[in-house]
Amino acid sequence: MQILQIAARRIIESRFAVFSMALGGLTFSIWLHYERHFDWNLQRYFFRDGQWLVNDKEPIGRFLFYTGPKAFLVITGLCLLVRHAIRYRKGPPSPQPWIRFLICLIAIPSLISVAKALTHEPCPQDFTIFAGPQALPMNGQCFPAGHASGGFALIGLFWYWSASVPGALFGIFFGSALGLYQMAKGAHFLSDTLVTCFFAWTICLQKKKKK
């Protein structure tokens, strides 16, 4: 297990490996989005008997996978600022790890929100085949996946926890769980979530150039 973690850390710390994997993943995800067949066939598993697998009004699921994670990410960011402000009063600490993590928490959801506003892509629940109002909706804000972006921003824990592979894996798992919830209630296709994941991977795992 330790050997695998060391190997994974070396891959992540390689700028070429991170960029290559991100570029390949983004290219595949964007192709998957516009090819549509796999996205649509997968989405049918979440839509049975005229309704989505997950009811977005159900309070427990909504708290666990929607409102709760949003609050958690905001509180995490604020706690980071307060903690390091207190530490800074005792003497300037090395700022790089927490600043990089904080940048991930802020930049990734913000940039994904801008991308959603520019792409105008509809959600699965907008199509009549999934009980939506239009056969071929031409407008929306569902690509890339915005809600999952906060979870994927936690990939930045890799640097905050001293190049910890479990930190990066936690971010991938957390973002995937939020993305799956959104898919199960008709808010996103798989490709929407994958694009967000690889975008976050690109931003969070870029290694600082040595001077």
Side-chain angles (χ1 to χ4, degrees), residues 67-207:
T67 55
K70 282 188 173 183
F72 167 74
L73 292 168
V74 171
I75 292 171
T76 298
L78 291 175
C79 286
L80 277 174
L81 288 173
V82 172
R83 175 191 173 188
H84 288 280
I86 293 173
R87 288 183 62 186
Y88 191 85
R89 292 183 64 183
K90 298 178 180 179
S94 176
Q96 184 182 346
W98 80 270
I99 287 182
R100 294 186 70 167
F101 180 43
L102 191 61
I103 288 173
C104 289
L105 287 178
I106 296 172
I108 292 170
S110 299
L111 292 173
I112 291 296
S113 295
V114 172
K116 287 175 62 176
L118 294 175
T119 55
H120 302 292
E121 292 287 331
C123 309
Q125 61 194 4
D126 294 329
F127 293 87
T128 52
I129 192 174
F130 297 122
Q134 302 179 53
L136 291 173
M138 302 300 293
N139 197 16
Q141 289 194 8
C142 294
F143 178 75
H147 182 56
S149 65
F152 288 127
L154 295 180
I155 293 174
L157 285 170
F158 176 80
W159 301 112
Y160 190 73
W161 286 346
S162 302
S164 166
V165 172
L169 291 178
F170 175 76
I172 293 173
F173 173 80
F174 194 55
S176 298
L178 300 185
L180 184 63
Y181 174 78
Q182 292 294 86
M183 289 172 61
K185 69 187 186 76
H188 284 295
F189 291 105
L190 173 64
S191 58
D192 304 345
T193 302
L194 288 177
V195 168
T196 299
C197 177
F198 286 110
F199 178 79
W201 173 281
T202 306
I203 300 299
C204 287
L205 297 182
Q206 281 300 314
K207 188 176 181 181

Side-chain angles (χ1 to χ4, degrees), residues 15-36:
R15 292 176 62 86
F16 176 77
V18 168
F19 180 77
S20 298
M21 293 173 68
L23 181 61
L26 280 171
T27 302
F28 171 75
S29 302
I30 292 171
W31 171 82
L32 192 69
H33 179 79
Y34 289 103
E35 190 271 341
R36 283 298 191 197

